[in-house]
Amino acid sequence: MNVIMDSWYMMRRNLSHIVRSPFIIAINLVQPILWMLLFSTVFANIVHMPGFAASSYIDFLSPGIVVMSTLMAGSYAGMGIIADYKQGVLNRFLVTPVHRSFIIIGSLVQNVVTLVIQSFMMIGIALIMGARFEGGISGIALLILCSVLLGIAFGALSIALAITIRKEEGLTSAVAFSTMPLLFMSGLFMPLQFVPGWMQIVASLNPVNWAIEAGRGALTANNDGNILFYIAYLLIFAIIAIYLAVYAFKRYQRSV
């Protein structure tokens, strides 16, 4: 029971910042929206290539942009931890009865709430722009699941890095250095059968590509069994990332 209460308290505390500053979600959506507008226009005629998987490029692109929005939001989750550290809040939590691990878990639960909201907003924008999701409600639900799992994983890694380096500049540099290659080394903009073989190998090991391929497959009328494997990979990745975040916090606690 204490575990549930600790998680609820930390989630509510972190969520209050979003309620007071809802523009944070809007800021996280600016880049994905711009990318959707730009690339859906630039690559509109690419669907005429033989073997292209969709009849409309916005149908092909939009699941990946939803994934991108949660990736970017999750990757900056550590900024809140750095702010708490600099204000002394993190150390004050250590003398409260809250279970130490759930200081981190509560932050991730709050991240889940914001990621789900962002996913729905991006899906709504995609529909307004003309995207059509043949997979229906179940397909949209699977897309959101994959997007949130990826966001949680990168949120946990961001928190682990934030606790370790404790500097905003270091975290933002690491996010910029890692997220762009991961996005471009995936099937976000182009079906993987159209890219060089070495990129296909890299994409097969890329968690961002797992989420994109699973989400895109869930939204098609004829999806294959690979979706469940991708979801399993994402779940394992998220569990490992959460463990690393909790471990990093325990190391920080011992250093205080």
Side-chain angles (χ1 to χ4, degrees):
M1 190 64 179
N2 287 338
V3 167
I4 297 175
M5 293 303 298
D6 289 350
S7 300
W8 170 254
Y9 172 78
M10 295 305 301
M11 181 202 72
R12 190 176 61 180
R13 180 255 176 188
N14 291 315
L15 200 59
S16 65
H17 296 301
I18 304 296
V19 174
R20 289 195 296 267
S21 305
F23 66 88
I24 293 175
I25 293 180
I27 290 174
N28 289 332
L29 293 176
V30 170
Q31 186 176 8
I33 291 173
L34 289 177
W35 280 35
M36 187 181 293
L37 290 170
L38 175 63
F39 287 101
S40 63
T41 302
V42 172
F43 292 151
N45 293 326
I46 204 173
V47 297
H48 301 303
M49 293 178 61
F52 197 86
S55 59
S56 168
Y57 189 71
I58 189 65
D59 291 352
F60 176 84
L61 178 66
S62 52
I65 296 295
V66 173
V67 170
M68 174 190 171
S69 71
T70 59
L71 168 68
M72 300 304 293
S75 296
Y76 286 101
M79 296 298 286
I81 294 293
I82 294 176
D84 283 346
Y85 166 75
K86 290 192 171 183
Q87 294 169 7
V89 175
L90 205 57
N91 287 348
R92 289 199 291 271
F93 277 140
L94 297 178
V95 297
T96 66
V98 175
H99 192 283
R100 303 296 176 260
S101 297
F102 287 92
I103 295 174
I104 303 301
I105 300 298
S107 179
L108 290 173
V109 173
Q110 171 267 320
N111 207 29
V112 170
V113 176
T114 57
L115 292 176
V116 170
I117 293 172
Q118 286 191 200
S119 297
F120 274 114
M121 293 176 69
M122 287 305 305
I123 289 170
I125 293 169
L127 290 171
I128 292 172
M129 291 182 61
R132 294 295 175 263
F133 301 143
E134 297 179 0
I137 295 176
S138 61
I140 291 174
L142 284 174
L143 170 61
I144 292 174
L145 173 63
C146 295
S147 300
V148 169
L149 283 174
L150 183 74
I152 291 172
F154 277 89
L157 292 177
S158 176
I159 289 172
L161 183 61
I163 294 171
T164 303
I165 61 177
R166 305 166 204 170
K167 294 182 181 295
E168 293 96 339
E169 299 84 357
L171 181 60
T172 54
S173 297
V175 170
F177 179 78
S178 59
T179 53
M180 288 301 105
L182 288 172
L183 287 168
F184 283 102
M185 291 292 179
S186 71
L188 174 59
F189 301 111
M190 187 76 62
L192 292 177
Q193 65 263 31
F194 294 152
V195 303
W198 68 269
M199 286 187 64
Q200 296 181 26
I201 295 173
V202 173
S204 69
L205 303 173
N206 183 354
V208 176
N209 189 64
W210 300 342
I212 291 172
E213 293 296 333
R216 186 174 288 147
L219 292 178
T220 61
N222 299 311
N223 53 63
D224 54 39
N226 289 334
I227 295 174
L228 294 179
F229 287 105
Y230 286 133
I231 292 175
Y233 298 156
L234 289 168
L235 182 59
I236 294 170
F237 178 50
I239 291 172
I240 293 172
I242 292 170
Y243 171 80
L244 291 175
V246 172
Y247 176 74
F249 186 71
K250 288 182 177 178
R251 286 192 61 187
Y252 166 77
Q253 181 184 349
R254 290 195 294 267
S255 70
V256 175

